[in-house]
Amino acid sequence: MQNNKRYNLKRKDISNEIHSKYGISISYADKFIEDTFKVIIYGLKKYNTLKIKNFGTFKVISKKKRIGRNPKTKKTYEITERKSLSFKTSNLLKKKINNE
């Protein structure tokens, strides 16, 4: 039977995995992870899209302002204009996840 419990991967988990697999210090692995995320954020801010080969594509999308409603209180309010992020997986990643 499959375990349906949700698991959130944390930066610390990634650092520990890099540490155990490659034998580098955890602090160096933390710095590597932090720098990787900075590069991804920089690319998204500058180009609005970031493609990582064999992984997927991140894309910044703009959402217009709209009227929202709290379903509990029925009170309406304005949701401000904002940017959001979408992700589309590569076909190779889909195949790996589906064990093809």
Side-chain angles (χ1 to χ4, degrees):
M1 190 165 164
Q2 231 177 5
N3 185 2
N4 290 331
K5 186 176 180 184
R6 182 177 173 175
Y7 178 73
N8 293 324
L9 186 65
K10 300 172 203 71
R11 288 183 189 194
K12 188 174 185 177
D13 298 331
I14 299 170
S15 297
N16 287 335
E17 187 68 27
I18 291 172
H19 165 70
S20 64
K21 189 168 184 173
Y22 298 106
I24 61 175
S25 70
I26 292 178
S27 62
Y28 186 75
D30 285 338
K31 180 75 171 132
F32 175 77
I33 301 286
E34 187 63 34
D35 289 346
T36 302
F37 286 135
K38 283 181 182 178
V39 168
I40 290 171
I41 291 167
Y42 173 78
L44 288 169
K45 283 184 173 182
K46 187 169 183 178
Y47 303 110
N48 286 335
T49 189
L50 179 76
K51 182 177 181 178
I52 301 174
K53 188 175 179 174
N54 298 331
F55 185 71
T57 304
F58 293 93
K59 188 175 181 183
V60 176
I61 54 175
S62 296
K63 294 193 173 192
K64 297 178 182 178
K65 68 178 179 178
R66 61 187 173 93
I67 301 297
R69 183 175 57 86
N70 182 335
K72 190 172 185 179
T73 62
K74 309 288 190 235
K75 183 177 179 182
T76 60
Y77 57 96
E78 184 179 291
I79 300 173
T80 58
E81 193 173 295
R82 67 200 182 283
K83 292 182 181 179
S84 187
L85 193 62
S86 70
F87 177 72
K88 183 173 191 258
T89 58
S90 71
N91 288 331
L92 181 66
L93 182 60
K94 286 179 191 176
K95 287 178 183 177
K96 285 185 178 185
I97 290 172
N98 292 310
N99 297 322
E100 292 179 8

